[in-house]
Amino acid sequence: MTQEHAAAEQPSEQDRGASSRSVLGEPLVVLQGVNKHYADLHVLQDINLSVAKGEVVVVLGPSGSGKSTLCRTINRLETFETGSITIDGVPLPEEGSGLAKLRADVGMVFQSFNLFAHKTILQNVTLGPVKVRKMNAKEAESRAMQLLKRVGVDHQAAKYPAQLSGGQQQRVAIARSLAMEPKVMLFDEPTSALDPEMINEVLDVMGQLAKEGMTMIVVTHEMGFARRAADRVIFMADGQILEEGTPEEFFDNPKSDRAKDFLSKILAH
């Protein structure tokens, strides 16, 4: 697609991470003709989307547009009726060990942190690598401490989730996903449950991941992050992708009336 290459090649006045990353690679996540219904509600309508290795795609749109469903479908936390999804060339399995393996390659960070309350921060981050990746405990702990330091909460390793702020818990959730060495990270409105002062600390970690070349699909209402970190912005409404382009194209020159209306409401606040 031309959009992601344009975003990767043109330096941005907003100092987006894309300009410091290498040219984007081959398609990593590919959706073709994906449809999903909730009873009579057609929540995903013929979705076609290709995300390249190293690309950061931010999905925007009004509530109920299908953004979170799209994100969760890529990890098969939601089923879909027709179409196909492939991750690094491998079709999304329906169930079984193949699906578990694929989920290990697809990190996911939710609105709620989903940490195990009865385990320490360190134990939360080491659990996946030990149980799923079969990493030895000592190696897993060393790796976990590196990741916790990377997201700025290594000094909290011995504490339990309830002892941390929401922003710290979300950064732990990011470290936990990174510990699995995923090929792609999905973020489903990761800051929507946070107090305003905690939002930037999570967005800063995500922005750094983008600069380091992590493939990311991010559902968010944070327009500043979209401008700063995205290679491409996808705008959804009523279960459809209505337009896509670089952040500059979308924010400065939206094409559809729905996008113009959405931006006028969002940016007015």
Side-chain angles (χ1 to χ4, degrees), residues 20-265:
S20 63
R21 301 200 301 270
S22 58
V23 175
L24 300 170
E26 294 296 310
L28 179 64
V29 180
V30 180
L31 291 79
Q32 293 182 308
V34 172
N35 284 275
K36 177 176 178 58
H37 291 78
Y38 290 131
D40 293 333
L41 186 61
H42 198 173
V43 288
L44 295 178
Q45 301 185 31
D46 290 319
I47 298 294
N48 294 294
L49 177 64
S50 180
V51 179
K53 290 178 181 177
E55 186 177 16
V56 178
V57 172
V58 172
V59 185
L60 304 177
S63 297
S65 59
K67 308 184 302 296
S68 290
T69 303
L70 172 69
C71 200
R72 293 169 65 86
T73 300
I74 292 170
N75 208 18
R76 211 181 254 287
L77 291 172
E78 297 280 359
T79 59
F80 59 98
E81 289 103 30
T82 59
S84 66
I85 300 177
T86 59
I87 310 289
D88 207 9
V90 179
L92 202 59
E94 289 191 23
E95 55 188 20
S97 60
L99 180 58
K101 182 180 183 304
L102 182 130
R103 280 187 177 151
D105 289 338
V106 182
M108 184 134 192
V109 179
F110 302 88
Q111 297 176 35
S112 53
F113 322 121
N114 292 341
L115 299 175
F116 291 108
H118 63 290
K119 293 185 179 295
T120 66
I121 296 310
L122 182 61
Q123 289 169 338
N124 267 278
V125 179
T126 58
L127 185 63
V130 170
K131 295 288 187 183
V132 180
R133 297 290 194 199
K134 307 303 180 187
M135 190 181 289
N136 75 64
K138 197 172 184 67
E139 184 183 352
E141 284 195 10
S142 174
R143 169 86 174 136
M145 286 305 297
Q146 290 174 7
L147 289 169
L148 289 171
K149 184 175 182 179
R150 184 173 168 186
V151 301
V153 289
D154 51 312
H155 58 296
Q156 310 280 14
K159 292 184 178 179
Y160 290 86
Q163 296 174 280
L164 273 60
S165 71
Q168 289 171 329
Q169 289 187 62
Q170 193 62 295
R171 284 185 278 157
V172 172
I174 292 172
R176 179 181 59 182
S177 286
L178 291 173
M180 298 297 287
E181 299 182 344
K183 295 177 179 178
V184 57
M185 289 277 285
L186 308 176
F187 293 86
D188 184 11
E189 300 196 18
T191 60
S192 65
L194 299 178
D195 292 333
E197 67 269 20
M198 298 176 188
I199 290 173
N200 281 341
E201 64 189 58
V202 174
L203 293 179
D204 286 346
V205 170
M206 292 168 61
Q208 189 57 42
L209 286 178
K211 288 182 179 179
E212 292 167 6
M214 173 61 72
T215 308
M216 296 164 62
I217 301 172
V218 183
V219 174
T220 186
H221 290 294
E222 298 297 330
M223 300 299 124
F225 177 83
R227 273 193 180 270
R228 232 177 11 254
D231 292 304
R232 187 158 42 120
V233 171
I234 302 292
F235 177 72
M236 291 187 69
D238 302 321
Q240 303 175 67
I241 294 176
L242 293 189
E243 60 182 278
E244 58 183 286
T246 66
E248 291 83 0
E249 289 168 343
F250 178 73
F251 286 106
D252 298 340
N253 188 29
K255 296 177 180 64
S256 66
D257 289 338
R258 289 299 300 273
K260 291 173 185 174
D261 181 59
F262 171 78
L263 286 173
S264 71
K265 291 174 180 174

